[in-house]
Structures are given as structure tokens and as C-alpha cells.
């Protein structure tokens, strides 16, 4: 059986060669990412903020800044992880969501489930419909699907809706970001989340305003509590680079 499996994997590698989910380089069937990316991918290390999920050296939030209970992330938004997020979002690479989603599921198990938190449903941060049609997929929902499968909790899709277009968050000041998202989300069929503990998923945490506005919308619709998980979290040293990239890529 093992020999048959190895032969099958070899044939699949020839027909559908595997690529690194972070940079796109060819990799073997037994590799998750390429050697180059594995050397500079940066995992979140303790101590971390119990609210925003950043390493404490980079935390700038205060208790009461956010409506969600807590956010956790497995990776720092830098180097290989940043490259992988860009590839996933802007270079038609939805398969990268599986890599990030599995890391997110591990973070949820360690930081939430092992501490007694239990979720009723998983929801991905929604996209405006025109943006979805342009990209062809919503990476946050794909991440949420992988997380939901990993922790065996139902995924609720098309319950949280982005019904208005907003300006790209990365191009705005923190104050502008808060105002930019006011009223752009709504909940369809609130009975599905009423009284539920929700796990909200996205790709990157920068200011936390997108997660917060989604959380406020879910709570107003009757959710009991909202916890968050994102694939990556930006640290202070990366903030200027994020804003510069935003203008250059038209986010």
C-alpha cells in the first residue's frame, strides 16, 4: 500500500507539480513550503497580547479598543508570510489558503480550544460582491473553510455580508479606517448566529478595524461573543511598508 501511494504521489507530481504556497517555487510532495521560505517565515512567539494577538513588543492596543474577545495569529506579516499573502490575494493562488488555514486551525486549538473556548460556527470576513467577481474567490472564506474543517465546527457562509463598497483600508489613517467601514456589513438570517459564539477569520490583522466592525455587526445581530483568528498579524516595523504597498498595488 505504501509503495502504491508513493507511485501515485510521483505521478501526481509529474502531472500536477506542487508549488510552494508562499512563493510559487516547485516543491516535492512531502514538502509544505520550499527551503528558502522555511528559513525566513516568522511564527508568533510568546509573550503575546491577549487582545490583538501581536507579540507584546509590537502591541499598541488597549483594553476596550475592540469588541471581539481576542484575536490570535500563527504568523507575523513579514518576509515569506507577506509574500504568501500577496500571492494568495493578488496572483490567483487560492491553494495557498490551505497552508495558512491549517496553521490558523492549530493556533485556534492551542489558544482557544485547549483553554476551554468552544465555538458554534466559523465565519470568514466577507468581500463586496463586485470585488468577489473580479478576484473569483474570497480568500477569507477559503481560510475559514479550512479552519472549520480542522476544528470540526460548521462554516456559515453568506450570513455576514459586505453590502457596500468601502475604500481600501490600507490607504487610510487609523481614524479614517474606523469611519470607512461604518455600516458596510450586515447579517442575513440573524437567527443562525443568535446566542452563538462565533470564530471570525481573515488573512491579515493590521489596525484590527475590519475585525472590529464585523464583530460589532455580529453582536448587534445577536451573537453571544466573537473571537478572531487571522493568518498573519502586522507588527509596528511593517506598518509603513504596508501602507506604501497599498498605494502601489491599488488596494
Amino acid at each position: 500500500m505504501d509503495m502504491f501511494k508513493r507511485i501515485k504521489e510521483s505521478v501526481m507530481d509529474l502531472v500536477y507539480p506542487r508549488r510552494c504556497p508562499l512563493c510559487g517555487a516547485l516543491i516535492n510532495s512531502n514538502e509544505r513550503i520550499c527551503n528558502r521560505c522555511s528559513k525566513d517565515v516568522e511564527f508568533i512567539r510568546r509573550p503575546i497580547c491577549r487582545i490583538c494577538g501581536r507579540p507584546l513588543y509590537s502591541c499598541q492596543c488597549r483594553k476596550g479598543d475592540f469588541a471581539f474577545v481576542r484575536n490570535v495569529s500563527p504568523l507575523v506579516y513579514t518576509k515569506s508570510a507577506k509574500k504568501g499573502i500577496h500571492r494568495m490575494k493578488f496572483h490567483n493562488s487560492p491553494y495557498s489558503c490551505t497552508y495558512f488555514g491549517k496553521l490558523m486551525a492549530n493556533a485556534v486549538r492551542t489558544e482557544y480550544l485547549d483553554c476551554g473556548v468552544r465555538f458554534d460556527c466559523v465565519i470568514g470576513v466577507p468581500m463586496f460582491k463586485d470585488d468577489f467577481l473580479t478576484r473569483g474567490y474570497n480568500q477569507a472564506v477559503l481560510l475559514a473553510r479550512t479552519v472549520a474543517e480542522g476544528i470540526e465546527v460548521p462554516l456559515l457562509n453568506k450570513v455576514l455580508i459586505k453590502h457596500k463598497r468601502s475604500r481600501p483600508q490600507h490607504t487610510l489613517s487609523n481614524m479614517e479606517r474606523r469611519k470607512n467601514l461604518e455600516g458596510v456589513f450586515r447579517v442575513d438570517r440573524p437567527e443562525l448566529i443568535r446566542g452563538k459564539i462565533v470564530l471570525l477569520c481573515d488573512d491579515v490583522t493590521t489596525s484590527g478595524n475590519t475585525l472590529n466592525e464585523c464583530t460589532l455587526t455580529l453582536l448587534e445581530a445577536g451573537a453571544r461573543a466573537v473571537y478572531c483568528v487571522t493568518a498573519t498579524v502586522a507588527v509596528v516595523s511593517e506598518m509603513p511598508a504596508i501602507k506604501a504597498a497599498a498605494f502601489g498595488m491599488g488596494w
Side-chain angles (χ1 to χ4, degrees), residues 2 32 67 77 79 107 131 140 157 189 220 249 251:
D2 289 341
R32 297 176 65 193
Y77 183 71
K79 299 179 180 178
D131 296 331
N157 197 13
R189 300 188 64 189
E220 288 172 1
M249 299 185 73
W251 294 359

Side-chain angles (χ1 to χ4, degrees), residues 71-100:
N71 175 64
V72 296
S73 303
L75 301 172
V76 177
Y77 183 71
T78 185
K79 299 179 180 178
S80 293
K82 180 195 291 188
K83 190 187 304 180
I85 293 292
H86 285 200
R87 182 176 180 81
M88 178 176 69
K89 294 174 69 171
F90 306 115
H91 298 285
N92 192 30
S93 182
Y95 69 86
S96 299
C97 294
T98 301
Y99 170 77
F100 286 115

Side-chain angles (χ1 to χ4, degrees), residues 142-198:
L142 296 181
L143 292 170
R145 179 173 291 118
T146 301
V147 171
E149 291 172 354
I151 64 173
E152 299 182 339
V153 172
L155 173 70
L156 291 186
N157 197 13
K158 298 182 180 179
V159 172
L160 181 63
I161 306 295
K162 186 173 185 180
H163 65 106
K164 295 180 182 178
R165 170 171 273 140
S166 57
R167 294 168 61 193
Q169 285 288 91
H170 304 80
T171 65
L172 307 175
S173 68
N174 195 49
M175 184 176 295
E176 289 173 329
R177 288 174 183 174
R178 289 182 181 271
K179 294 181 178 179
N180 183 48
L181 292 173
E182 290 179 358
V184 304
F185 300 107
R186 73 165 188 259
V187 171
D188 285 353
R189 300 188 64 189
E191 69 274 9
L192 294 179
I193 63 163
R194 191 170 294 124
K196 303 293 181 65
I197 298 179
V198 178

